[in-house]
Amino acid sequence: LYLNGASPKGPFVPTQADYQKVYDAIALRLQNETDYDDGSYGPVLVRLAWHASGTYDKETGTGGSNGSTMRFAPESDHGANAGLKHARDFLEPIKTQFPWITYSDLWTLAGACSIQELGGPSIPWRPGREDKDVAACTPDGRLPDAAQGHRHIRDVFGRMGFDDREMVALIGAHALGRAHSDRSGFDGPWDFSPTVFSNDFFKLLVDEKWNQKKWNGPTQFTDKTTQTLMMLPTDIALIKDKGFKQHVDRYAKDSDVFFKEFSDVFVKLIELGVPFQVKPEDRFIFKASE
Ligand code: HIF
């Protein structure tokens, strides 16, 4: 028996075609497993890729997607990661099917796959992440706190190396999924089609009137028209702050511009701190399913 797909000829070296097979298996599983929230695990897979990456600290070079240390406590138990076990467990059969892929590559590939499968832009991707052990777990508090405002957004995403424009583009991913009262304490979806990647988050921020929700939960905002949608305090910060608002307006007006700029910044996010062998120009563009 040979480990990890190695053969008598030597170690198994996966090619782009092998990674496309992983992509296809995730896409198929997304189509078949519809028992999550609004019918797709895609949103929570995007969140997994982001929380694996968003621990990056540019000063120390620690954290980031290289390591997938969220497999272990204490990181898996950090409050910000509540609910992500659903995403990690969803990917276990894929890891069993393709034992040669690292968890760190798998989690980011699943995020890229989900964005594409949910109708978003292509997310060029390259392999090269290594799994690290429990000692590499990042300290609690590196991921953002949704109860805060513009200064906190700039602190946290500045620590990762993003500018205002990139921060706003990224946060457009809140077009996907919803908040859960038993995870973050917040509740509800950001738009009317939480399993479709779109610029609706920005359109709604601009076009709707957002009032503070009257309830016993944490401060969140609801749309005046239907009172079924949700914005976090950090989302509302994007229309209160002038530096952010100019980009909200641009993305609300032009979906193509949003898709392009989002793709660039999501690629940057999932590559933070990774010592790649594959050059940027050789990133793979995965073919989406039909
Ligand atoms: Fe989220 N995010 N995020 N987020 N996020 C939640 C859910 C999702 C923040 C807070 C929350 C990004 C930035 C920020 C997704 C993707 C991304 C929830 C609800 C909270 C509280 C969790 C729950 O209760 O289940 C904050 C404070 C951020 C910085 C401002 C990224 C840009 C938008 C980086 C990003 O990609 C996705 C997808 C979900 C939905 C998950 C689901 O289970 O449906």
Side-chain angles (χ1 to χ4, degrees), residues 36-37 42-44 46-47 50-51 82 144-147 153 157 170-174 176-181 183-186 190 232 234-235 262 266 269:
Y36 186 81
D37 281 357
V44 79
V46 173
R47 188 161 203 246
W50 134 238
H51 279 211
D145 171 4
I153 298 175
F157 286 91
L170 264 183
I171 297 171
H174 276 165
L176 297 176
R178 57 170 65 234
H180 305 78
S181 49
R183 297 181 191 174
S184 59
F186 301 98
W190 286 267
L232 302 166
T234 44
D235 300 316
F262 176 81
F266 198 81
L269 175 69

Side-chain angles (χ1 to χ4, degrees), residues 104-239:
S104 324
D105 273 343
L106 177 61
W107 290 358
T108 51
L109 200 167
C113 172
S114 298
I115 289 166
Q116 292 192 189
E117 293 298 306
L118 298 176
S122 322
I123 306 293
W125 182 90
R126 50 183 167 156
R129 298 165 191 78
E130 306 264 5
D131 294 338
K132 295 184 185 163
D133 73 17
V134 61
C137 278
T138 46
D140 201 357
R142 287 202 181 174
L143 291 163
D145 171 4
Q148 301 207 40
H150 58 100
R151 279 189 53 181
H152 179 69
I153 298 175
R154 287 198 176 93
D155 281 349
V156 172
F157 286 91
R159 187 206 67 223
M160 292 178 235
F162 292 111
D163 64 22
D164 278 12
R165 181 188 64 83
E166 292 173 312
M167 295 178 202
V168 178
L170 264 183
I171 297 171
H174 276 165
L176 297 176
R178 57 170 65 234
H180 305 78
S181 49
D182 60 341
R183 297 181 191 174
S184 59
F186 301 98
D187 186 46
W190 286 267
D191 65 31
F192 299 106
S193 43
T195 62
V196 177
F197 191 95
S198 72
N199 68 340
D200 285 1
F201 170 83
F202 297 113
K203 287 203 218 160
L204 285 159
L205 265 181
V206 171
D207 294 343
E208 263 301 334
K209 190 168 167 11
W210 293 93
N211 297 318
Q212 202 174 314
K213 182 181 165 97
K214 293 188 181 65
W215 73 329
N216 286 327
T219 299
Q220 67 175 57
F221 297 82
T222 192
D223 65 303
K224 188 173 182 232
T225 309
T226 70
Q227 297 182 25
T228 58
L229 301 177
M230 186 252 351
M231 288 288 171
L232 302 166
T234 44
D235 300 316
I236 294 297
L238 302 183
I239 48 174

